[in-house]
Amino acid sequence: QVQLAESGGGLVQAGGSLRLSCAASGRTFITDAMGWFRQAPGKEREFVAAINWRGDSTDYADSVKGRFTISRDNAKNTGYLQMNSLKPEDTAVYYCAADRTPWATAKTVHEYDYWGQGTQVTVSS
């Protein structure tokens, strides 16, 4: 089992930036694909970004393309989501997730095997 812990959320003004981190326990993370999802009040959890095991393939939701960047540092067992040009509609709880299929960049919740507890991101106008 992989345990994940997000950090880096907070309150920012529109146009600002945040960098979220996802710390994973254990060596198994180096062979896991990773994704970021978010869930706003009253909404279903939605896909944000994904990255495969080697970090050479990524995918993004249309709503965040050009603004968010997903990355990972397997030596540190950590994934990242750099969020720039934040908008009020980005406000949500952000979750990182791990997929035991190394080459995947899955976009749906059910395809992921492990989840963090989430970190709140609030963007004010």
Side-chain angles (χ1 to χ4, degrees):
Q1 179 173 287
V2 174
Q3 294 187 356
L4 306 173
E6 304 94 337
S7 62
L11 174 65
V12 297
Q13 290 258 351
S17 297
L18 284 173
R19 187 198 194 204
L20 305 184
S21 297
C22 176
S25 63
R27 278 175 166 252
T28 55
F29 182 72
I30 67 172
T31 57
D32 288 354
M34 186 189 72
W36 287 92
F37 290 75
R38 65 188 183 187
Q39 188 165 19
K43 302 290 182 63
E44 294 185 350
R45 193 168 299 186
E46 68 173 346
F47 171 76
V48 175
I51 188 167
N52 73 349
W53 167 44
R54 293 191 179 277
D56 59 1
S57 181
T58 59
D59 202 1
Y60 297 91
D62 288 343
S63 60
V64 306
K65 284 181 179 177
R67 300 188 297 121
F68 291 10
T69 302
I70 187 171
S71 62
R72 66 191 297 161
D73 186 341
N74 288 341
K76 297 180 179 179
N77 286 331
T78 303
Y80 304 95
L81 184 69
Q82 177 67 46
M83 305 186 295
N84 298 326
S85 301
L86 283 162
K87 304 174 181 179
E89 51 262 47
D90 295 319
T91 295
V93 176
Y94 282 71
Y95 300 88
C96 65
D99 182 353
R100 288 178 294 178
T101 304
W103 56 85
T105 53
K107 297 180 180 180
T108 58
V109 169
H110 78 271
E111 294 176 278
Y112 286 83
D113 300 295
Y114 308 104
W115 293 85
Q117 292 298 302
T119 185
Q120 177 71 47
V121 172
T122 302
V123 184
S124 62
S125 59

